[in-house]
Amino acid sequence: MENQKLRVAVVTGASSGMGAEFARRICMDASFDFDEIWLIARREVRLADLAKELPKPTRTLTLDLTDSISYKAFALALEINHAEVTLLIKAAGFGIFAHATEIDFQTQLDMIDVNTKALTALTALCIPCMEKGAAILNMCSLSSFQPVPYINVYAATKAYVLSYSRALGVELRPRGVRVMAVCPGWVATEFFDIAEKDHPGAVPNKKPLWTAAQVITKALKDFKRGRELSILGFGVRAQALLVKLLPYRLVMRIWMAQQGMARNR
């Protein structure tokens, strides 16, 4: 049985927030079939603490997804364990709320690397390890649907993730592999600790503020219903629809007014 496959679920961004909550929930849900869960994030201690909570065999991979060397380490882990990936959840990501001139060059590139490059790389590495019945869940955002001043790089990366998820779902459907994008509004996680680190209160209007548990409860329900997109809350769904119908300049003006950011530079 030397070459017997190890069925794994992989969760990125697992040290906190959405990733950690996803890990907890799929381990308690018998409808998700895997032998071992792999947790990926930079914070080793946080991953170890979460691993102690989980009722499933757990492996922690301390990887910095801004560094492409991490992709090689992950690929090697898949290979040496003869891994079959039954579920891939990509919750790693971050955003910064500030004027474009106030965000340093490297931070903007890191945001792109984590939110889009790493997500794409891990997907590409996992697809050959997936069989019929496997699934990919990508964390997007309400920002995926519109250009958003003062968080423009983040919103652009999430637009990429949404477009990528939708098209990838069509390509993988004949193989029996599902793809779903999760597009919440504001969620009460550590996201804001980073997003507003240098500009406290940069986003004054965060209502409604959902919990990670609420978003994931809805996401798992939608996944089991066969949906390709999960959006929590009538207001969030309405906004995602309206921004398709309104001129993009008006959409941005409304956003600026909501946040009290109507200012010139």
Side-chain angles (χ1 to χ4, degrees), residues 7-11 14 19-39 50-59 86-87 89 216 220 224:
R7 294 167 58 82
V8 303
V10 179
V11 183
E21 188 64 23
F22 258 124
R24 294 184 185 101
R25 298 291 288 276
I26 64 173
C27 283
M28 296 186 294
D29 191 329
S31 64
F32 294 104
D33 184 17
F34 53 91
D35 304 315
E36 190 170 284
I37 183 169
W38 291 8
L39 308 176
L50 176 60
K52 294 173 186 176
E53 294 181 34
L54 302 180
K56 286 271 198 175
T58 304
R59 184 181 308 232
T86 63
L87 182 62
I89 298 174
I216 291 166
L220 295 181
K224 292 173 183 178

Side-chain angles (χ1 to χ4, degrees), residues 214-262:
Q214 288 173 313
V215 173
I216 291 166
T217 295
K218 180 68 162 60
L220 295 181
K221 284 182 180 178
D222 287 339
F223 177 77
K224 292 173 183 178
R225 291 168 179 162
R227 294 181 178 170
E228 299 172 349
L229 188 65
S230 178
I231 304 176
L232 173 64
F234 173 79
V236 181
R237 291 195 298 273
Q239 185 172 337
L241 175 62
L242 284 173
V243 296
K244 297 178 184 179
L245 306 175
L246 298 175
Y248 74 91
R249 291 183 184 276
L250 176 59
V251 169
M252 289 192 289
R253 283 201 300 269
I254 292 171
W255 154 258
M256 295 283 283
Q258 286 176 334
Q259 301 303 327
M261 291 180 174

Side-chain angles (χ1 to χ4, degrees), residues 8-12 38-40 59 61-63 65 67-81 83 85 87-88 90 118-119 121-127 129-130:
V8 303
V10 179
V11 183
T12 73
W38 291 8
L39 308 176
I40 297 176
R59 184 181 308 232
L61 303 176
T62 308
L63 301 175
L65 295 181
D67 188 345
S68 58
I69 292 176
S70 294
Y71 313 154
K72 296 179 181 179
F74 180 67
L76 182 61
L78 291 173
E79 180 182 356
I80 64 177
N81 288 283
V85 179
L87 182 62
L88 172 61
K90 286 161 289 179
L119 178 141
L122 266 62
T123 303
L125 291 170
C126 285
I127 287 174
C129 302
M130 290 181 158

Side-chain angles (χ1 to χ4, degrees), residues 154-173:
Y154 173 81
T157 63
K158 292 304 181 179
Y160 169 90
V161 175
L162 178 58
S163 178
Y164 174 70
S165 299
R166 284 171 159 166
L168 185 66
V170 172
E171 295 179 29
L172 296 183
R173 190 175 301 142

Side-chain angles (χ1 to χ4, degrees), residues 100-122:
T101 61
E102 298 168 343
I103 307 174
D104 70 85
F105 171 77
Q106 191 57 52
T107 299
Q108 295 189 54
L109 293 185
D110 287 348
M111 207 183 313
I112 294 168
D113 283 348
V114 174
N115 295 2
T116 63
K117 184 179 177 181
L119 178 141
T120 306
L122 266 62

